[in-house]
């Protein structure tokens, strides 16, 4: 995908700039033509000589060419941006984000951002101290650039080059490469899910009986993870809230791990107001022990009684407060009167779509790799899907959701 593509890497004055020669090298190895535009701040952190050597091209920095020198390109401030098939800015400093957001153009990097041809992908990787990242001005600039169509990739959490631990780390060059490939995949940019905020719940919950035992179910999380992975591939901004599962986080997905239903509710509620789509694929335990025993219960008694209390219905809570611009999607795994119960759930929780899960534990339902879904929309439209891999089923489900997005309803 990258062979022959013209890629500009914009490097700002952040500590993570030290990773960029490797990024250039990886892109070159994939057959891309790479040019580097670096800021005055950037050269404090990474050597232009190293970058020029791996890029096999001079590095671009100053907007102003030498006058009266033979062979000088006096229109470099325009032609570099026009040359590019994609622009990656990594690391993007708070300073440069502000410049980009208001259209300042005082170095080669900012100039090529402005002169990039319409529709060409711009991937921006802000990297800075966590407090800086969360500051209202940085967040406002990120929002402005996102609204302009830039793909904004949040910094990762972990050990920072400064020695501190927290949010602010630039993703590794291999990861940046994957984001670029993902972006260049044309389907991403044309999906109606592009840029939409999608929250997916997945997996089981665990409800404590005592310090070492819990009530749970067989959910593996595979369906929810497949939905999160597929939505992220289509360019959605995906948050995956998951109970305890043994699955890798899908690429480009923000994952929140929880254990109980009440923890899942607490993790989900902050997204209720602003998410575009809420997809509840988790198998949330219906009940929890009223008073979990502190420590480990002894087996002295022949019989014990466990009193259970109803758990919150997270999806119903979202369904009841969502606006007409938001979609609520649920799953119904039923063993009796399946479709009828699924339709009742759809109506009582004010959902836009429900996926009825046929359950036999061999071809469909918990902990298997395939699923047989029937999609029921609030207008009654019912679509029976054949046995599909969970990734394929996720694709069909998202196809149906895309058609329900307010802007696609006529
Ligand atoms: C040691 C050091 C590390 C820095 N790291 C970062 C950083 O990671 N992110 C950031 O936004 N600014 C960082 N800064 C501040 C920027 O270098 C400064 O705002 C500079 O003006 C950025 O210029 P530029 O955006 O043109 O590259 C750092 C400064 C110093 C002295």
């Amino acid at each position: 995908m990258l062979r022959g593509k013209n890629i500009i890497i914009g490097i700002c004055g952040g500590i993570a700039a030290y990773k960029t020669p490797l990024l250039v090298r990886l892109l070159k190895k994939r057959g891309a033509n790479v040019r580097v535009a670096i800021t005055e701040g950037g050269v404090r952190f990474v050597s232009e000589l190293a970058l020029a050597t791996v890029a096999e091209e001079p590095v671009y920095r100053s907007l102003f060419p030498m006058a009266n020198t033979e062979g000088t390109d006096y229109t470099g401030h325009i032609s570099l941006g026009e040359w590019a098939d994609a622009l990656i800015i990594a690391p993007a400093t708070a300073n440069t984000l502000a410049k980009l957001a208001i259209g300042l153009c005082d170095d080669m990097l900012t100039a090529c951002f402005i002169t990039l041809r319409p529709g060409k992908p711009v991937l921006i990787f802000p990297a800075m101290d966590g407090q800086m990242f969360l500051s209202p001005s940085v967040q406002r600039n990120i929002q402005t650039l996102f609204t302009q169509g830039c793909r904004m990739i949040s910094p990762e959490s972990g050990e920072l080059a400064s020695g501190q631990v927290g949010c602010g780390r630039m993703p590794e060059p291999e990861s940046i490469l994957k984001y670029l490939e993902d972006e260049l995949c044309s389907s991403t940019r044309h999906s109606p899910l592009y840029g939409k905020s999608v929250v997916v719940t997945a997996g089981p919950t665990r409800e404590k009986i005592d310090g070492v035992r819990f009530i749970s179910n067989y959910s593996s999380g595979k369906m929810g993870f497949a939905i999160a992975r597929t939505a992220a591939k289509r360019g959605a901004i995906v948050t995956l809230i998951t109970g305890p599962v043994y699955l890798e986080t899908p690429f480009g997905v923000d994952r929140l791990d929880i254990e109980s239903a009440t923890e899942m509710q607490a993790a989900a509620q902050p997204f209720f107001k602003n998410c575009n789509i809420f997809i509840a694929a988790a198998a949330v335990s219906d009940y929890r022990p009223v008073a979990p025993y502190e420590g480990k219960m002894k087996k002295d008694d022949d019989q014990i009684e466990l009193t259970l209390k109803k758990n919150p219905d997270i999806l119903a809570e979202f369904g009841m407060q969502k606006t007409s611009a938001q979609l609520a999607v649920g799953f119904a795994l039923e063993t009796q009167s399946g479709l009828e119960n699924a339709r009742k759930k759809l109506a009582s929780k004010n959902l836009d779509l429900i996926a009825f899960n046929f359950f036999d534990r061999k071809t469909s339902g918990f902990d298997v790799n395939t699923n047989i879904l029937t999609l029921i929309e609030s207008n009654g439209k019912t679509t029976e899907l054949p046995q599909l891999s969970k990734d394929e089923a996720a694709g069909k489900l998202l196809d149906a959701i895309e058609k329900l997005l307010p802007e696609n309803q006529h």
Side-chain angles (χ1 to χ4, degrees), residues 151 182-183 187-201 223-240 250-254 277-279 390-399 401-402 405:
R151 178 105 188 247
D182 189 35
E183 194 65 24
S187 60
T188 302
R189 285 191 83 72
H190 300 303
S191 164
L193 288 180
Y194 187 85
K196 293 278 184 299
S197 158
V198 176
V199 178
V200 183
T201 67
M223 192 64 227
F225 274 58
I227 295 168
R229 179 168 40 251
T230 311
K233 275 193 189 158
R234 295 186 186 188
I237 301 158
V238 183
T239 305
L240 175 63
F251 180 72
V253 165
D254 197 16
I277 305 163
F278 188 87
I279 306 174
K390 285 191 170 168
D391 273 321
E392 287 169 321
K396 297 282 181 203
L397 175 70
L398 291 171
D399 289 347
I401 292 172
E402 283 177 353
L405 283 166

Side-chain angles (χ1 to χ4, degrees), residues 34-200:
V34 183
R35 290 184 181 168
V36 173
I38 194 164
T39 64
E40 289 296 332
V43 295
R44 302 289 193 112
F45 294 89
V46 60
S47 140
E48 281 180 299
L49 183 59
L51 288 163
T53 308
V54 285
E56 301 171 279
E57 291 256 6
V59 167
Y60 297 81
R61 181 168 21 140
S62 172
L63 210 49
F64 305 105
M66 296 281 282
N68 307 321
T69 307
E70 212 175 310
T72 296
D73 175 9
Y74 294 104
T75 58
H77 64 292
I78 298 165
S79 54
L80 183 61
E82 285 179 342
W83 171 85
D85 292 311
L87 168 64
I88 299 174
I89 304 183
T93 52
N95 180 58
T96 293
L97 288 174
K99 284 167 52 173
L100 298 175
I102 58 170
L104 286 186
C105 173
D106 62 356
D107 56 17
M108 272 303 217
L109 196 163
T110 45
C112 65
F113 175 75
I114 285 181
T115 55
L116 210 67
R117 273 177 286 152
K120 298 289 176 190
V122 182
L123 290 89
I124 302 185
F125 294 81
M128 63 200 69
D129 157 82
Q131 282 305 109
M132 273 174 91
F133 179 69
L134 292 174
S135 82
S137 28
V138 169
Q139 288 300 314
R140 184 197 57 224
N141 294 330
I142 287 176
Q143 187 56 39
T144 304
L145 292 165
F146 173 72
T147 316
Q148 261 177 250
C150 301
R151 178 105 188 247
M152 306 303 299
I153 296 99
S154 294
E156 295 174 348
S157 295
E159 207 173 306
L160 305 176
S162 62
Q164 294 178 338
V165 175
C167 165
R169 196 170 67 175
M170 188 178 88
E172 294 303 320
E174 290 81 0
S175 222
I176 295 179
L177 204 70
K178 279 181 101 179
Y179 276 108
L180 176 65
E181 282 175 338
D182 189 35
E183 194 65 24
L184 287 171
C185 211
S186 56
S187 60
T188 302
R189 285 191 83 72
H190 300 303
S191 164
L193 288 180
Y194 187 85
K196 293 278 184 299
S197 158
V198 176
V199 178
V200 183

Side-chain angles (χ1 to χ4, degrees), residues 169-348:
R169 196 170 67 175
M170 188 178 88
E172 294 303 320
E174 290 81 0
S175 222
I176 295 179
L177 204 70
K178 279 181 101 179
Y179 276 108
L180 176 65
E181 282 175 338
D182 189 35
E183 194 65 24
L184 287 171
C185 211
S186 56
S187 60
T188 302
R189 285 191 83 72
H190 300 303
S191 164
L193 288 180
Y194 187 85
K196 293 278 184 299
S197 158
V198 176
V199 178
V200 183
T201 67
T205 62
R206 286 179 180 175
E207 311 300 332
K208 273 189 181 160
I209 297 172
D210 69 6
V212 294
R213 302 175 182 96
F214 52 80
I215 296 174
S216 193
N217 55 61
Y218 290 113
S219 170
S220 63
K222 286 178 183 168
M223 192 64 227
F225 274 58
I227 295 168
R229 179 168 40 251
T230 311
K233 275 193 189 158
R234 295 186 186 188
I237 301 158
V238 183
T239 305
L240 175 63
I241 305 173
T242 179
V245 293
Y246 300 95
L247 297 172
E248 250 184 60
T249 311
F251 180 72
V253 165
D254 197 16
R255 171 175 177 166
L256 302 175
D257 287 285
I258 55 85
E259 211 166 284
S260 65
T262 45
E263 283 173 18
M264 184 171 273
Q265 181 193 34
Q269 276 173 339
F271 296 96
F272 282 1
K273 200 154 169 244
N274 292 322
C275 73
N276 298 106
I277 305 163
F278 188 87
I279 306 174
V284 180
S285 298
D286 291 333
Y287 292 91
R288 68 177 183 276
V290 170
Y293 189 82
E294 292 266 336
K296 189 181 170 204
M297 272 164 78
K298 291 272 175 227
K299 56 170 180 179
D300 298 335
D301 300 320
D302 285 343
Q303 195 171 319
I304 58 164
E305 278 183 14
L306 206 57
T307 310
L308 303 178
K309 183 180 175 175
K310 211 170 199 175
N311 265 330
D313 189 327
I314 304 164
L315 179 60
E317 202 184 317
F318 174 72
M320 290 308 154
Q321 57 181 267
K322 75 184 176 76
T323 66
S324 57
Q326 295 175 302
L327 297 179
V329 178
F331 274 76
L333 182 128
E334 304 282 350
T335 50
Q336 295 146 21
S337 314
L339 278 176
E340 195 187 315
N341 280 335
R343 286 197 180 97
K344 274 190 199 154
K345 248 188 190 180
L346 176 83
S348 68

